[in-house]
Amino acid sequence: MTTTLKSRLQDDLTAAIKARDELRSSTLRLTITAITKEEVAGESARELSDAEVEKIVAREAKKRREAAEAFEKGGRAAQAEREKAEGEVLAEYLPKPLTDDELNALVADAVREAAAGGAEGPRAMGAVMKIVNPKIAGRAEGGRVAAAVKRQLAGG
């Protein structure tokens, strides 16, 4: 059983190669390699779920963002542009990022849920993160989520 996201990546890679789209094909090839590496890591080879494949794609996209920032700081605009373009290719395979309003609404629900379970104030951070993270699943960066949780626990 192949995952739908992984097969979509492979189909898109084939199409990119046929279209001679070097940027897209190299980006997808590297991402599929990262997925395959993960599949054979550990005791025995296994098929990854779509959620696991999505995590790898998100990790690869994050690497591109960080590399683009590093290249920009180093004054290497061409490499920075390439990394950004690769990140945009990968973004197509990830869920749409949450807006600030959507994120705040999810966090507010999680804060209420944690409070109902007896966890309140700044010490409730862990409990709230545990509730909110599965609902966000790759649609917002961890730092952004943590900041929103802190703000709401502080009563802001």
Side-chain angles (χ1 to χ4, degrees), residues 7-69:
S7 49
R8 185 177 146 211
L9 287 163
Q10 289 168 325
D11 293 346
D12 289 356
L13 170 61
T14 305
I17 291 169
K18 285 180 182 165
R20 290 189 165 66
D21 184 338
E22 190 277 329
L23 171 80
R24 191 173 204 78
S25 59
S26 73
T27 303
L28 293 177
R29 192 175 280 124
L30 286 168
T31 304
I32 292 168
T33 301
I35 293 165
T36 307
K37 219 185 242 170
E38 192 77 27
E39 287 177 331
V40 297
E43 298 290 307
S44 59
R46 66 192 180 90
E47 196 71 46
L48 298 179
S49 70
D50 265 357
E52 291 171 307
V53 170
E54 200 175 276
K55 273 191 180 128
I56 294 168
V57 174
R59 188 174 63 213
E60 291 295 311
K62 184 177 182 194
K63 281 184 195 170
R64 301 307 189 289
R65 273 194 310 278
E66 290 169 351
E69 286 171 22

Side-chain angles (χ1 to χ4, degrees), residues 57-129:
V57 174
R59 188 174 63 213
E60 291 295 311
K62 184 177 182 194
K63 281 184 195 170
R64 301 307 189 289
R65 273 194 310 278
E66 290 169 351
E69 286 171 22
F71 280 133
E72 276 178 357
K73 284 182 185 149
R76 295 168 65 186
Q79 287 95 332
E81 284 307 309
R82 167 83 187 198
E83 294 292 337
K84 278 184 194 158
E86 289 181 5
E88 285 166 17
V89 167
L90 294 176
E92 295 171 27
Y93 300 93
L94 295 169
K96 231 170 99 41
L98 291 171
T99 64
D100 287 342
D101 290 344
E102 292 167 329
L103 176 62
N104 289 331
L106 283 170
V107 169
D109 289 346
V111 168
R112 279 193 294 280
E113 199 176 316
E120 289 188 60
R123 289 194 307 278
M125 180 92 182
V128 174
M129 290 297 282

